[in-house]
PDB file of all heavy atoms in Angstrom:
ATOM      1  N   SER A   1     122.700  -2.312 129.507  1.00 98.00           N
ATOM      2  CA  SER A   1     121.629  -3.142 130.267  1.00 98.00           C
ATOM      3  C   SER A   1     120.257  -2.816 129.833  1.00 98.00           C
ATOM      4  O   SER A   1     119.994  -1.776 129.175  1.00 98.00           O
ATOM      5  CB  SER A   1     121.747  -2.806 131.676  1.00 98.00           C
ATOM      6  OG  SER A   1     121.400  -1.341 131.900  1.00 98.00           O
ATOM      7  N   ASP A   2     119.352  -3.746 130.101  1.00 98.00           N
ATOM      8  CA  ASP A   2     117.980  -3.526 129.620  1.00 98.00           C
ATOM      9  C   ASP A   2     117.405  -2.240 130.370  1.00 98.00           C
ATOM     10  O   ASP A   2     116.708  -1.589 129.688  1.00 98.00           O
ATOM     11  CB  ASP A   2     117.116  -4.657 130.089  1.00 98.00           C
ATOM     12  CG  ASP A   2     117.429  -6.027 129.333  1.00 98.00           C
ATOM     13  OD1 ASP A   2     117.997  -5.948 128.247  1.00 98.00           O
ATOM     14  OD2 ASP A   2     117.091  -7.180 129.722  1.00 98.00           O
ATOM     15  N   GLU A   3     117.685  -2.074 131.595  1.00 98.00           N
ATOM     16  CA  GLU A   3     117.296  -0.926 132.275  1.00 98.00           C
ATOM     17  C   GLU A   3     117.772   0.432 131.612  1.00 98.00           C
ATOM     18  O   GLU A   3     116.983   1.393 131.474  1.00 98.00           O
ATOM     19  CB  GLU A   3     117.720  -0.921 133.757  1.00 98.00           C
ATOM     20  CG  GLU A   3     117.153   0.079 134.595  1.00 98.00           C
ATOM     21  CD  GLU A   3     117.411   0.033 136.097  1.00 98.00           C
ATOM     22  OE1 GLU A   3     118.514  -0.724 136.488  1.00 98.00           O
ATOM     23  OE2 GLU A   3     116.824   0.656 136.934  1.00 98.00           O
ATOM     24  N   MET A   4     119.073   0.459 131.216  1.00 98.00           N
ATOM     25  CA  MET A   4     119.501   1.614 130.470  1.00 98.00           C
ATOM     26  C   MET A   4     118.812   1.881 129.186  1.00 98.00           C
ATOM     27  O   MET A   4     118.265   3.003 128.974  1.00 98.00           O
ATOM     28  CB  MET A   4     121.004   1.494 130.205  1.00 98.00           C
ATOM     29  CG  MET A   4     121.570   2.677 129.436  1.00 98.00           C
ATOM     30  SD  MET A   4     121.698   4.156 130.477  1.00 98.00           S
ATOM     31  CE  MET A   4     122.867   3.803 131.654  1.00 98.00           C
ATOM     32  N   ARG A   5     118.556   0.839 128.464  1.00 98.00           N
ATOM     33  CA  ARG A   5     117.902   1.038 127.118  1.00 98.00           C
ATOM     34  C   ARG A   5     116.460   1.369 127.334  1.00 98.00           C
ATOM     35  O   ARG A   5     115.797   2.090 126.578  1.00 98.00           O
ATOM     36  CB  ARG A   5     118.063  -0.251 126.182  1.00 98.00           C
ATOM     37  CG  ARG A   5     119.498  -0.358 125.793  1.00 98.00           C
ATOM     38  CD  ARG A   5     119.643  -1.653 124.915  1.00 98.00           C
ATOM     39  NE  ARG A   5     119.826  -2.847 125.699  1.00 98.00           N
ATOM     40  CZ  ARG A   5     119.021  -3.810 125.707  1.00 98.00           C
ATOM     41  NH1 ARG A   5     117.871  -3.824 125.102  1.00 98.00           N
ATOM     42  NH2 ARG A   5     119.238  -4.865 126.431  1.00 98.00           N
ATOM     43  N   SER A   6     115.874   0.864 128.407  1.00 98.00           N
ATOM     44  CA  SER A   6     114.363   1.105 128.767  1.00 98.00           C
ATOM     45  C   SER A   6     114.188   2.611 129.046  1.00 98.00           C
ATOM     46  O   SER A   6     113.327   3.302 128.590  1.00 98.00           O
ATOM     47  CB  SER A   6     113.842   0.170 129.792  1.00 98.00           C
ATOM     48  OG  SER A   6     112.500   0.484 130.149  1.00 98.00           O
ATOM     49  N   GLU A   7     115.096   3.147 129.997  1.00 98.00           N
ATOM     50  CA  GLU A   7     114.993   4.508 130.383  1.00 98.00           C
ATOM     51  C   GLU A   7     115.429   5.416 129.156  1.00 98.00           C
ATOM     52  O   GLU A   7     114.742   6.559 129.086  1.00 98.00           O
ATOM     53  CB  GLU A   7     115.915   4.748 131.475  1.00 98.00           C
ATOM     54  CG  GLU A   7     115.593   4.000 132.773  1.00 98.00           C
ATOM     55  CD  GLU A   7     114.038   4.536 133.177  1.00 98.00           C
ATOM     56  OE1 GLU A   7     113.588   5.556 132.927  1.00 98.00           O
ATOM     57  OE2 GLU A   7     113.380   3.687 133.956  1.00 98.00           O
ATOM     58  N   TYR A   8     116.269   5.137 128.264  1.00 98.00           N
ATOM     59  CA  TYR A   8     116.558   5.858 127.111  1.00 98.00           C
ATOM     60  C   TYR A   8     115.416   5.904 126.278  1.00 98.00           C
ATOM     61  O   TYR A   8     115.014   7.023 125.682  1.00 98.00           O
ATOM     62  CB  TYR A   8     117.822   5.336 126.434  1.00 98.00           C
ATOM     63  CG  TYR A   8     118.187   6.117 125.188  1.00 98.00           C
ATOM     64  CD1 TYR A   8     118.566   7.527 125.245  1.00 98.00           C
ATOM     65  CD2 TYR A   8     118.034   5.581 123.934  1.00 98.00           C
ATOM     66  CE1 TYR A   8     118.912   8.138 124.097  1.00 98.00           C
ATOM     67  CE2 TYR A   8     118.514   6.183 122.866  1.00 98.00           C
ATOM     68  CZ  TYR A   8     118.861   7.469 122.940  1.00 98.00           C
ATOM     69  OH  TYR A   8     119.272   8.234 121.779  1.00 98.00           O
ATOM     70  N   ALA A   9     114.690   4.756 126.032  1.00 98.00           N
ATOM     71  CA  ALA A   9     113.567   4.738 125.229  1.00 98.00           C
ATOM     72  C   ALA A   9     112.348   5.555 125.765  1.00 98.00           C
ATOM     73  O   ALA A   9     111.625   6.249 125.077  1.00 98.00           O
ATOM     74  CB  ALA A   9     112.931   3.296 125.056  1.00 98.00           C
ATOM     75  N   ARG A  10     112.339   5.550 127.118  1.00 98.00           N
ATOM     76  CA  ARG A  10     111.235   6.318 127.802  1.00 98.00           C
ATOM     77  C   ARG A  10     111.580   7.955 127.558  1.00 98.00           C
ATOM     78  O   ARG A  10     110.601   8.727 127.168  1.00 98.00           O
ATOM     79  CB  ARG A  10     111.252   6.125 129.376  1.00 98.00           C
ATOM     80  CG  ARG A  10     110.268   6.985 130.083  1.00 98.00           C
ATOM     81  CD  ARG A  10     110.611   7.374 131.458  1.00 98.00           C
ATOM     82  NE  ARG A  10     110.863   6.211 132.377  1.00 98.00           N
ATOM     83  CZ  ARG A  10     110.079   5.720 133.289  1.00 98.00           C
ATOM     84  NH1 ARG A  10     108.846   6.275 133.464  1.00 98.00           N
ATOM     85  NH2 ARG A  10     110.421   4.743 134.031  1.00 98.00           N
ATOM     86  N   ALA A  11     112.872   8.223 127.627  1.00 97.00           N
ATOM     87  CA  ALA A  11     113.107   9.604 127.339  1.00 97.00           C
ATOM     88  C   ALA A  11     112.835  10.105 125.851  1.00 97.00           C
ATOM     89  O   ALA A  11     112.478  11.141 125.614  1.00 97.00           O
ATOM     90  CB  ALA A  11     114.692   9.905 127.720  1.00 97.00           C
ATOM     91  N   LEU A  12     113.146   9.173 124.975  1.00 98.00           N
ATOM     92  CA  LEU A  12     112.930   9.456 123.624  1.00 98.00           C
ATOM     93  C   LEU A  12     111.418   9.635 123.315  1.00 98.00           C
ATOM     94  O   LEU A  12     111.023  10.505 122.616  1.00 98.00           O
ATOM     95  CB  LEU A  12     113.432   8.290 122.643  1.00 98.00           C
ATOM     96  CG  LEU A  12     115.039   8.267 122.559  1.00 98.00           C
ATOM     97  CD1 LEU A  12     115.362   7.074 121.551  1.00 98.00           C
ATOM     98  CD2 LEU A  12     115.610   9.541 121.990  1.00 98.00           C
ATOM     99  N   ASP A  13     110.631   8.906 124.056  1.00 98.00           N
ATOM    100  CA  ASP A  13     109.160   8.980 123.893  1.00 98.00           C
ATOM    101  C   ASP A  13     108.748  10.326 124.409  1.00 98.00           C
ATOM    102  O   ASP A  13     107.907  11.015 123.679  1.00 98.00           O
ATOM    103  CB  ASP A  13     108.529   7.841 124.696  1.00 98.00           C
ATOM    104  CG  ASP A  13     106.908   7.936 124.605  1.00 98.00           C
ATOM    105  OD1 ASP A  13     106.581   7.991 123.485  1.00 98.00           O
ATOM    106  OD2 ASP A  13     106.181   8.007 125.630  1.00 98.00           O
ATOM    107  N   TRP A  14     109.265  10.921 125.427  1.00 98.00           N
ATOM    108  CA  TRP A  14     108.988  12.158 125.945  1.00 98.00           C
ATOM    109  C   TRP A  14     109.562  13.296 125.005  1.00 98.00           C
ATOM    110  O   TRP A  14     108.869  14.378 124.805  1.00 98.00           O
ATOM    111  CB  TRP A  14     109.548  12.426 127.370  1.00 98.00           C
ATOM    112  CG  TRP A  14     108.614  11.829 128.399  1.00 98.00           C
ATOM    113  CD1 TRP A  14     108.963  10.783 129.160  1.00 98.00           C
ATOM    114  CD2 TRP A  14     107.331  12.408 128.771  1.00 98.00           C
ATOM    115  NE1 TRP A  14     107.736  10.526 130.033  1.00 98.00           N
ATOM    116  CE2 TRP A  14     106.903  11.493 129.736  1.00 98.00           C
ATOM    117  CE3 TRP A  14     106.484  13.459 128.229  1.00 98.00           C
ATOM    118  CZ2 TRP A  14     105.610  11.770 130.319  1.00 98.00           C
ATOM    119  CZ3 TRP A  14     105.322  13.687 128.862  1.00 98.00           C
ATOM    120  CH2 TRP A  14     104.863  12.835 129.981  1.00 98.00           C
ATOM    121  N   ARG A  15     110.669  13.019 124.361  1.00 97.00           N
ATOM    122  CA  ARG A  15     111.025  14.008 123.299  1.00 97.00           C
ATOM    123  C   ARG A  15     110.005  14.133 122.227  1.00 97.00           C
ATOM    124  O   ARG A  15     109.660  15.302 121.769  1.00 97.00           O
ATOM    125  CB  ARG A  15     112.433  13.634 122.796  1.00 97.00           C
ATOM    126  CG  ARG A  15     113.062  14.413 121.723  1.00 97.00           C
ATOM    127  CD  ARG A  15     114.363  14.081 121.150  1.00 97.00           C
ATOM    128  NE  ARG A  15     114.291  12.944 120.326  1.00 97.00           N
ATOM    129  CZ  ARG A  15     115.352  12.286 119.735  1.00 97.00           C
ATOM    130  NH1 ARG A  15     116.537  12.748 119.868  1.00 97.00           N
ATOM    131  NH2 ARG A  15     115.098  11.344 118.996  1.00 97.00           N
ATOM    132  N   GLU A  16     109.389  13.017 121.812  1.00 97.00           N
ATOM    133  CA  GLU A  16     108.432  13.073 120.732  1.00 97.00           C
ATOM    134  C   GLU A  16     107.179  13.795 121.275  1.00 97.00           C
ATOM    135  O   GLU A  16     106.574  14.606 120.562  1.00 97.00           O
ATOM    136  CB  GLU A  16     108.114  11.696 120.319  1.00 97.00           C
ATOM    137  CG  GLU A  16     107.065  11.559 119.188  1.00 97.00           C
ATOM    138  CD  GLU A  16     106.794  10.246 118.650  1.00 97.00           C
ATOM    139  OE1 GLU A  16     107.524   9.331 119.090  1.00 97.00           O
ATOM    140  OE2 GLU A  16     105.809  10.077 117.912  1.00 97.00           O
ATOM    141  N   LYS A  17     106.780  13.517 122.423  1.00 97.00           N
ATOM    142  CA  LYS A  17     105.487  14.094 123.074  1.00 97.00           C
ATOM    143  C   LYS A  17     105.671  15.556 123.220  1.00 97.00           C
ATOM    144  O   LYS A  17     104.649  16.242 123.230  1.00 97.00           O
ATOM    145  CB  LYS A  17     105.242  13.483 124.434  1.00 97.00           C
ATOM    146  CG  LYS A  17     104.701  12.005 124.348  1.00 97.00           C
ATOM    147  CD  LYS A  17     104.523  11.360 125.673  1.00 97.00           C
ATOM    148  CE  LYS A  17     103.904  10.005 125.668  1.00 97.00           C
ATOM    149  NZ  LYS A  17     103.712   9.350 126.956  1.00 97.00           N
ATOM    150  N   THR A  18     106.863  16.099 123.453  1.00 97.00           N
ATOM    151  CA  THR A  18     107.049  17.526 123.682  1.00 97.00           C
ATOM    152  C   THR A  18     107.633  18.219 122.419  1.00 97.00           C
ATOM    153  O   THR A  18     108.103  19.290 122.582  1.00 97.00           O
ATOM    154  CB  THR A  18     107.996  17.733 124.917  1.00 97.00           C
ATOM    155  OG1 THR A  18     109.407  17.100 124.581  1.00 97.00           O
ATOM    156  CG2 THR A  18     107.453  17.197 126.178  1.00 97.00           C
ATOM    157  N   ASP A  19     107.611  17.506 121.253  1.00 96.00           N
ATOM    158  CA  ASP A  19     107.998  18.247 120.001  1.00 96.00           C
ATOM    159  C   ASP A  19     109.510  18.522 120.121  1.00 96.00           C
ATOM    160  O   ASP A  19     109.870  19.508 119.537  1.00 96.00           O
ATOM    161  CB  ASP A  19     107.110  19.343 119.643  1.00 96.00           C
ATOM    162  CG  ASP A  19     107.395  19.730 118.148  1.00 96.00           C
ATOM    163  OD1 ASP A  19     107.781  18.921 117.304  1.00 96.00           O
ATOM    164  OD2 ASP A  19     107.097  20.879 117.936  1.00 96.00           O
ATOM    165  N   GLY A  20     110.304  17.781 120.820  1.00 95.00           N
ATOM    166  CA  GLY A  20     111.733  18.049 120.985  1.00 95.00           C
ATOM    167  C   GLY A  20     112.072  18.986 122.075  1.00 95.00           C
ATOM    168  O   GLY A  20     113.342  19.169 122.258  1.00 95.00           O
ATOM    169  N   ALA A  21     111.210  19.608 122.797  1.00 95.00           N
ATOM    170  CA  ALA A  21     111.553  20.474 123.920  1.00 95.00           C
ATOM    171  C   ALA A  21     112.242  19.806 125.013  1.00 95.00           C
ATOM    172  O   ALA A  21     113.158  20.413 125.599  1.00 95.00           O
ATOM    173  CB  ALA A  21     110.325  21.154 124.396  1.00 95.00           C
ATOM    174  N   PHE A  22     111.950  18.547 125.272  1.00 96.00           N
ATOM    175  CA  PHE A  22     112.756  17.735 126.168  1.00 96.00           C
ATOM    176  C   PHE A  22     113.512  16.802 125.449  1.00 96.00           C
ATOM    177  O   PHE A  22     113.003  16.182 124.492  1.00 96.00           O
ATOM    178  CB  PHE A  22     111.737  16.867 127.087  1.00 96.00           C
ATOM    179  CG  PHE A  22     112.332  15.973 128.022  1.00 96.00           C
ATOM    180  CD1 PHE A  22     112.791  16.460 129.352  1.00 96.00           C
ATOM    181  CD2 PHE A  22     112.636  14.711 127.644  1.00 96.00           C
ATOM    182  CE1 PHE A  22     113.506  15.544 130.178  1.00 96.00           C
ATOM    183  CE2 PHE A  22     113.324  13.843 128.520  1.00 96.00           C
ATOM    184  CZ  PHE A  22     113.785  14.249 129.776  1.00 96.00           C
ATOM    185  N   THR A  23     114.846  16.568 125.797  1.00 95.00           N
ATOM    186  CA  THR A  23     115.732  15.605 125.081  1.00 95.00           C
ATOM    187  C   THR A  23     116.622  15.029 126.080  1.00 95.00           C
ATOM    188  O   THR A  23     117.058  15.486 127.055  1.00 95.00           O
ATOM    189  CB  THR A  23     116.410  16.461 124.058  1.00 95.00           C
ATOM    190  OG1 THR A  23     117.335  15.520 123.360  1.00 95.00           O
ATOM    191  CG2 THR A  23     117.219  17.574 124.642  1.00 95.00           C
ATOM    192  N   PRO A  24     117.022  13.678 125.730  1.00 96.00           N
ATOM    193  CA  PRO A  24     117.878  12.989 126.660  1.00 96.00           C
ATOM    194  C   PRO A  24     119.361  13.142 126.074  1.00 96.00           C
ATOM    195  O   PRO A  24     120.267  12.540 126.479  1.00 96.00           O
ATOM    196  CB  PRO A  24     117.483  11.567 126.389  1.00 96.00           C
ATOM    197  CG  PRO A  24     117.072  11.430 125.001  1.00 96.00           C
ATOM    198  CD  PRO A  24     116.287  12.767 124.891  1.00 96.00           C
ATOM    199  N   HIS A  25     119.561  14.132 125.236  1.00 96.00           N
ATOM    200  CA  HIS A  25     120.864  14.360 124.614  1.00 96.00           C
ATOM    201  C   HIS A  25     121.385  15.892 124.981  1.00 96.00           C
ATOM    202  O   HIS A  25     120.719  16.786 124.863  1.00 96.00           O
ATOM    203  CB  HIS A  25     120.956  14.288 123.127  1.00 96.00           C
ATOM    204  CG  HIS A  25     120.522  12.879 122.690  1.00 96.00           C
ATOM    205  ND1 HIS A  25     119.369  12.600 121.988  1.00 96.00           N
ATOM    206  CD2 HIS A  25     121.117  11.678 122.810  1.00 96.00           C
ATOM    207  CE1 HIS A  25     119.217  11.355 121.779  1.00 96.00           C
ATOM    208  NE2 HIS A  25     120.282  10.798 122.224  1.00 96.00           N
ATOM    209  N   ARG A  26     122.689  15.923 125.532  1.00 94.00           N
ATOM    210  CA  ARG A  26     123.273  17.190 125.630  1.00 94.00           C
ATOM    211  C   ARG A  26     123.636  17.715 124.425  1.00 94.00           C
ATOM    212  O   ARG A  26     123.653  17.135 123.341  1.00 94.00           O
ATOM    213  CB  ARG A  26     124.507  16.999 126.654  1.00 94.00           C
ATOM    214  CG  ARG A  26     124.246  16.504 127.905  1.00 94.00           C
ATOM    215  CD  ARG A  26     125.439  16.651 128.846  1.00 94.00           C
ATOM    216  NE  ARG A  26     126.740  16.290 128.290  1.00 94.00           N
ATOM    217  CZ  ARG A  26     127.805  16.034 128.900  1.00 94.00           C
ATOM    218  NH1 ARG A  26     127.723  15.842 130.200  1.00 94.00           N
ATOM    219  NH2 ARG A  26     128.979  15.872 128.303  1.00 94.00           N
ATOM    220  N   PRO A  27     124.020  19.017 124.421  1.00 91.00           N
ATOM    221  CA  PRO A  27     124.326  19.773 123.105  1.00 91.00           C
ATOM    222  C   PRO A  27     125.462  19.068 122.401  1.00 91.00           C
ATOM    223  O   PRO A  27     125.689  19.118 121.200  1.00 91.00           O
ATOM    224  CB  PRO A  27     124.603  21.159 123.489  1.00 91.00           C
ATOM    225  CG  PRO A  27     123.755  21.317 124.734  1.00 91.00           C
ATOM    226  CD  PRO A  27     123.806  20.074 125.405  1.00 91.00           C
ATOM    227  N   ASP A  28     126.371  18.398 123.160  1.00 93.00           N
ATOM    228  CA  ASP A  28     127.607  17.782 122.680  1.00 93.00           C
ATOM    229  C   ASP A  28     127.222  16.313 122.280  1.00 93.00           C
ATOM    230  O   ASP A  28     128.158  15.520 121.823  1.00 93.00           O
ATOM    231  CB  ASP A  28     128.736  17.677 123.698  1.00 93.00           C
ATOM    232  CG  ASP A  28     128.349  16.983 125.014  1.00 93.00           C
ATOM    233  OD1 ASP A  28     127.332  16.397 125.107  1.00 93.00           O
ATOM    234  OD2 ASP A  28     129.185  17.069 125.993  1.00 93.00           O
ATOM    235  N   GLY A  29     125.984  15.921 122.378  1.00 94.00           N
ATOM    236  CA  GLY A  29     125.556  14.683 121.852  1.00 94.00           C
ATOM    237  C   GLY A  29     125.578  13.482 122.913  1.00 94.00           C
ATOM    238  O   GLY A  29     125.127  12.375 122.731  1.00 94.00           O
ATOM    239  N   VAL A  30     126.115  13.747 124.085  1.00 96.00           N
ATOM    240  CA  VAL A  30     126.177  12.794 125.161  1.00 96.00           C
ATOM    241  C   VAL A  30     124.797  12.525 125.610  1.00 96.00           C
ATOM    242  O   VAL A  30     124.009  13.428 125.871  1.00 96.00           O
ATOM    243  CB  VAL A  30     127.131  13.220 126.308  1.00 96.00           C
ATOM    244  CG1 VAL A  30     126.843  12.279 127.449  1.00 96.00           C
ATOM    245  CG2 VAL A  30     128.570  13.312 125.920  1.00 96.00           C
ATOM    246  N   ILE A  31     124.489  11.180 125.913  1.00 97.00           N
ATOM    247  CA  ILE A  31     123.214  10.868 126.475  1.00 97.00           C
ATOM    248  C   ILE A  31     123.197  11.176 127.988  1.00 97.00           C
ATOM    249  O   ILE A  31     124.124  10.765 128.763  1.00 97.00           O
ATOM    250  CB  ILE A  31     122.981   9.393 126.334  1.00 97.00           C
ATOM    251  CG1 ILE A  31     122.772   9.039 124.816  1.00 97.00           C
ATOM    252  CG2 ILE A  31     121.575   8.914 127.077  1.00 97.00           C
ATOM    253  CD1 ILE A  31     122.723   7.483 124.550  1.00 97.00           C
ATOM    254  N   ASP A  32     122.169  11.910 128.427  1.00 97.00           N
ATOM    255  CA  ASP A  32     122.080  12.387 129.750  1.00 97.00           C
ATOM    256  C   ASP A  32     120.570  12.109 130.215  1.00 97.00           C
ATOM    257  O   ASP A  32     119.756  12.858 129.684  1.00 97.00           O
ATOM    258  CB  ASP A  32     122.380  13.822 129.839  1.00 97.00           C
ATOM    259  CG  ASP A  32     122.505  14.367 131.331  1.00 97.00           C
ATOM    260  OD1 ASP A  32     121.798  13.683 132.270  1.00 97.00           O
ATOM    261  OD2 ASP A  32     122.958  15.549 131.531  1.00 97.00           O
ATOM    262  N   LEU A  33     120.384  11.217 130.998  1.00 97.00           N
ATOM    263  CA  LEU A  33     119.047  10.797 131.542  1.00 97.00           C
ATOM    264  C   LEU A  33     118.800  11.420 132.895  1.00 97.00           C
ATOM    265  O   LEU A  33     117.783  10.972 133.509  1.00 97.00           O
ATOM    266  CB  LEU A  33     118.971   9.362 131.489  1.00 97.00           C
ATOM    267  CG  LEU A  33     119.179   8.600 130.244  1.00 97.00           C
ATOM    268  CD1 LEU A  33     119.062   7.096 130.376  1.00 97.00           C
ATOM    269  CD2 LEU A  33     118.118   9.025 129.213  1.00 97.00           C
ATOM    270  N   SER A  34     119.472  12.409 133.276  1.00 93.00           N
ATOM    271  CA  SER A  34     119.161  13.031 134.584  1.00 93.00           C
ATOM    272  C   SER A  34     117.785  13.685 134.595  1.00 93.00           C
ATOM    273  O   SER A  34     117.254  13.889 135.617  1.00 93.00           O
ATOM    274  CB  SER A  34     120.210  14.043 134.991  1.00 93.00           C
ATOM    275  OG  SER A  34     120.354  15.148 133.937  1.00 93.00           O
ATOM    276  N   GLY A  35     117.268  14.016 133.352  1.00 93.00           N
ATOM    277  CA  GLY A  35     115.952  14.732 133.316  1.00 93.00           C
ATOM    278  C   GLY A  35     114.834  13.725 133.678  1.00 93.00           C
ATOM    279  O   GLY A  35     113.715  14.238 133.904  1.00 93.00           O
ATOM    280  N   THR A  36     115.111  12.442 133.743  1.00 96.00           N
ATOM    281  CA  THR A  36     113.994  11.573 134.121  1.00 96.00           C
ATOM    282  C   THR A  36     114.344  10.615 135.335  1.00 96.00           C
ATOM    283  O   THR A  36     113.470  10.334 136.052  1.00 96.00           O
ATOM    284  CB  THR A  36     113.563  10.592 132.941  1.00 96.00           C
ATOM    285  OG1 THR A  36     114.960   9.896 132.503  1.00 96.00           O
ATOM    286  CG2 THR A  36     113.008  11.348 131.817  1.00 96.00           C
ATOM    287  N   ILE A  37     115.725  10.421 135.571  1.00 96.00           N
ATOM    288  CA  ILE A  37     115.985   9.413 136.536  1.00 96.00           C
ATOM    289  C   ILE A  37     115.624   9.874 138.064  1.00 96.00           C
ATOM    290  O   ILE A  37     115.321   9.136 138.789  1.00 96.00           O
ATOM    291  CB  ILE A  37     117.604   9.041 136.501  1.00 96.00           C
ATOM    292  CG1 ILE A  37     117.749   8.210 135.169  1.00 96.00           C
ATOM    293  CG2 ILE A  37     117.966   8.189 137.680  1.00 96.00           C
ATOM    294  CD1 ILE A  37     116.892   7.039 134.946  1.00 96.00           C
ATOM    295  N   LYS A  38     115.684  11.171 138.216  1.00 96.00           N
ATOM    296  CA  LYS A  38     115.411  11.665 139.533  1.00 96.00           C
ATOM    297  C   LYS A  38     113.846  11.254 139.877  1.00 96.00           C
ATOM    298  O   LYS A  38     113.459  10.858 140.948  1.00 96.00           O
ATOM    299  CB  LYS A  38     115.589  13.084 139.749  1.00 96.00           C
ATOM    300  CG  LYS A  38     115.250  13.741 141.069  1.00 96.00           C
ATOM    301  CD  LYS A  38     115.842  14.981 141.324  1.00 96.00           C
ATOM    302  CE  LYS A  38     115.427  15.992 140.271  1.00 96.00           C
ATOM    303  NZ  LYS A  38     114.064  16.356 140.272  1.00 96.00           N
ATOM    304  N   ALA A  39     113.096  11.462 138.929  1.00 97.00           N
ATOM    305  CA  ALA A  39     111.625  11.180 138.930  1.00 97.00           C
ATOM    306  C   ALA A  39     111.415   9.628 139.049  1.00 97.00           C
ATOM    307  O   ALA A  39     110.530   9.272 139.865  1.00 97.00           O
ATOM    308  CB  ALA A  39     110.824  11.710 137.749  1.00 97.00           C
ATOM    309  N   VAL A  40     112.229   8.861 138.352  1.00 97.00           N
ATOM    310  CA  VAL A  40     112.175   7.463 138.494  1.00 97.00           C
ATOM    311  C   VAL A  40     112.479   7.082 139.888  1.00 97.00           C
ATOM    312  O   VAL A  40     111.855   6.181 140.437  1.00 97.00           O
ATOM    313  CB  VAL A  40     113.124   6.814 137.490  1.00 97.00           C
ATOM    314  CG1 VAL A  40     113.235   5.326 137.848  1.00 97.00           C
ATOM    315  CG2 VAL A  40     112.656   6.980 136.047  1.00 97.00           C
ATOM    316  N   ALA A  41     113.460   7.612 140.575  1.00 97.00           N
ATOM    317  CA  ALA A  41     113.702   7.305 141.944  1.00 97.00           C
ATOM    318  C   ALA A  41     112.620   7.683 142.879  1.00 97.00           C
ATOM    319  O   ALA A  41     112.266   7.041 143.833  1.00 97.00           O
ATOM    320  CB  ALA A  41     115.013   8.103 142.316  1.00 97.00           C
ATOM    321  N   ILE A  42     111.919   8.863 142.570  1.00 98.00           N
ATOM    322  CA  ILE A  42     110.804   9.257 143.470  1.00 98.00           C
ATOM    323  C   ILE A  42     109.719   8.165 143.286  1.00 98.00           C
ATOM    324  O   ILE A  42     109.027   7.848 144.213  1.00 98.00           O
ATOM    325  CB  ILE A  42     110.289  10.627 142.992  1.00 98.00           C
ATOM    326  CG1 ILE A  42     111.370  11.786 143.333  1.00 98.00           C
ATOM    327  CG2 ILE A  42     108.965  10.983 143.680  1.00 98.00           C
ATOM    328  CD1 ILE A  42     111.030  13.054 142.867  1.00 98.00           C
ATOM    329  N   ASP A  43     109.375   7.755 142.014  1.00 97.00           N
ATOM    330  CA  ASP A  43     108.392   6.636 141.786  1.00 97.00           C
ATOM    331  C   ASP A  43     108.828   5.379 142.486  1.00 97.00           C
ATOM    332  O   ASP A  43     107.851   4.727 143.010  1.00 97.00           O
ATOM    333  CB  ASP A  43     108.391   6.447 140.239  1.00 97.00           C
ATOM    334  CG  ASP A  43     107.170   7.083 139.712  1.00 97.00           C
ATOM    335  OD1 ASP A  43     106.229   7.534 140.400  1.00 97.00           O
ATOM    336  OD2 ASP A  43     107.016   6.981 138.393  1.00 97.00           O
ATOM    337  N   ALA A  44     110.055   5.085 142.439  1.00 98.00           N
ATOM    338  CA  ALA A  44     110.379   3.900 143.230  1.00 98.00           C
ATOM    339  C   ALA A  44     110.248   3.967 144.686  1.00 98.00           C
ATOM    340  O   ALA A  44     109.704   3.089 145.266  1.00 98.00           O
ATOM    341  CB  ALA A  44     111.897   3.570 142.900  1.00 98.00           C
TER     342      ALA A  44
END
């Protein structure tokens, strides 16, 4: 969905801003957006 791809792009942007300290990928490579979605819910 557009929403999934938009949130993934947001997480990638934060990965760049933090020089990789924040990432939307688990060590096994699985995409995990829990690092931003809770905050998105608070914003909503």
Side-chain angles (χ1 to χ4, degrees):
S1 65
D2 290 345
E3 187 172 19
M4 179 66 68
R5 287 182 281 112
S6 176
E7 291 303 333
Y8 180 63
R10 185 209 298 259
L12 289 179
D13 182 54
W14 277 110
R15 183 177 68 178
E16 182 177 351
K17 289 178 179 177
T18 60
D19 195 26
F22 177 87
T23 178
H25 299 109
R26 296 193 322 202
D28 60 6
V30 169
I31 295 173
D32 186 342
L33 297 178
S34 56
T36 54
I37 291 304
K38 180 163 57 66
V40 170
I42 295 172
D43 252 353

